[in-house]
Amino acid sequence: MKSEASKGLKVERITPWQFFKNNIFDKQTLIHLAFGRNFARIHFLPVGSQAPSGRFFTLDAHEMNLQKIMSQSAKKIHVLNFGSFSDQVQFNTIYIQEAHAADEWAMSFVNTGAGVCFRQPKKLDSRIKIAKEYVERFNFQLPFFVDSIENETMIAYSALPERLYAIQDGKIIYEGGPGPFAYNITDLEQFLEKYLS
């Protein structure tokens, strides 16, 4: 099933070299990366630093922040997944700015096959609509939030295009690498196993 936003997009099959040559090393992408995006940086929020509160929304458009989530849960550790481990960990997904929006840095061969290529939302209700479609389509069961349209939480956590953080008592206890290449759920699982033992 294709979404309304992805209808009419063409699926392309290319080699990895073509991908890098066409999408990483071209002038438009280099300019876009240099001036247009808040891509994740390594060690942006080091372990032990205060976790930013952020500002994001439920799928019903109610404003939330990290402190509200933590105060409403008995779990000790909260994982922020920007793209329950146990009775002590709460996983929260925060939908952020589209990394490969159809009207910006589109990579149609990556997202179109799955029918998940959207235009960059300009208003919060558009971002919430995309998030709701995702949750329903993939039967997503974990808590799911939507970043503000100003991308406040994404910027606070240096999370574009995807990233993992674990937070306990308002402090960062795990900082994952920036995605897609350093986004590593296995690393997070290993950390949590050691940390909770």
Side-chain angles (χ1 to χ4, degrees):
M1 176 180 118
K2 284 191 171 187
S3 71
E4 283 298 312
S6 65
K7 286 184 180 170
L9 295 176
K10 187 175 119 184
V11 176
E12 303 171 26
R13 304 257 186 248
I14 68 165
T15 67
W17 171 245
Q18 287 172 314
F19 165 78
F20 284 110
K21 187 176 98 177
N22 294 339
N23 295 290
I24 304 299
F25 302 124
D26 67 342
K27 182 179 177 182
Q28 177 186 359
T29 298
L30 294 174
I31 290 171
H32 190 69
L33 289 173
F35 301 106
R37 306 291 266 215
N38 292 305
F39 276 101
R41 297 184 302 273
I42 296 173
H43 302 302
F44 183 73
L45 289 170
V47 171
S49 64
Q50 187 67 36
S53 180
R55 185 171 79 101
F56 40 91
F57 297 82
T58 66
L59 297 181
D60 295 327
H62 293 102
E63 188 170 325
M64 293 292 287
N65 62 44
L66 182 62
Q67 282 72 30
K68 286 181 186 177
I69 290 174
M70 293 177 77
S71 70
Q72 295 172 3
S73 170
K75 310 280 178 156
K76 290 179 67 173
I77 297 173
H78 290 257
V79 172
L80 299 183
N81 180 14
F82 288 94
S84 228
F85 187 80
S86 72
D87 61 342
Q88 298 179 44
V89 178
Q90 172 71 49
F91 280 78
N92 302 290
T93 296
I94 301 174
Y95 174 55
I96 59 174
Q97 172 180 319
E98 282 289 323
H100 300 291
D103 56 334
E104 293 182 356
W105 189 24
M107 293 187 184
S108 59
F109 62 90
V110 174
N111 294 0
T112 304
V116 291
C117 193
F118 300 99
R119 293 184 171 279
Q120 192 66 259
K122 305 291 187 233
K123 296 185 177 182
L124 181 62
D125 61 335
S126 299
R127 187 174 277 179
I128 290 173
K129 182 178 176 183
I130 292 170
K132 283 182 177 180
E133 182 179 322
Y134 175 86
V135 167
E136 290 168 12
R137 183 172 176 198
F138 295 101
N139 195 26
F140 197 84
Q141 299 296 312
L142 299 174
F144 199 96
F145 301 95
V146 179
D147 196 7
S148 70
I149 204 66
E150 298 83 16
N151 303 307
E152 294 172 69
T153 308
M154 179 194 79
I155 292 167
Y157 283 87
S158 189
L160 186 68
E162 57 193 351
R163 195 162 211 169
L164 294 163
Y165 281 96
I167 299 160
Q168 183 176 23
D169 299 325
K171 298 278 187 191
I172 305 292
I173 60 170
Y174 172 88
E175 176 196 28
F181 303 113
Y183 181 91
N184 190 330
I185 291 178
T186 303
D187 185 59
L188 172 65
E189 288 173 342
Q190 291 171 351
F191 166 80
L192 289 172
E193 285 172 3
K194 283 182 181 177
Y195 190 83
L196 295 171
S197 62

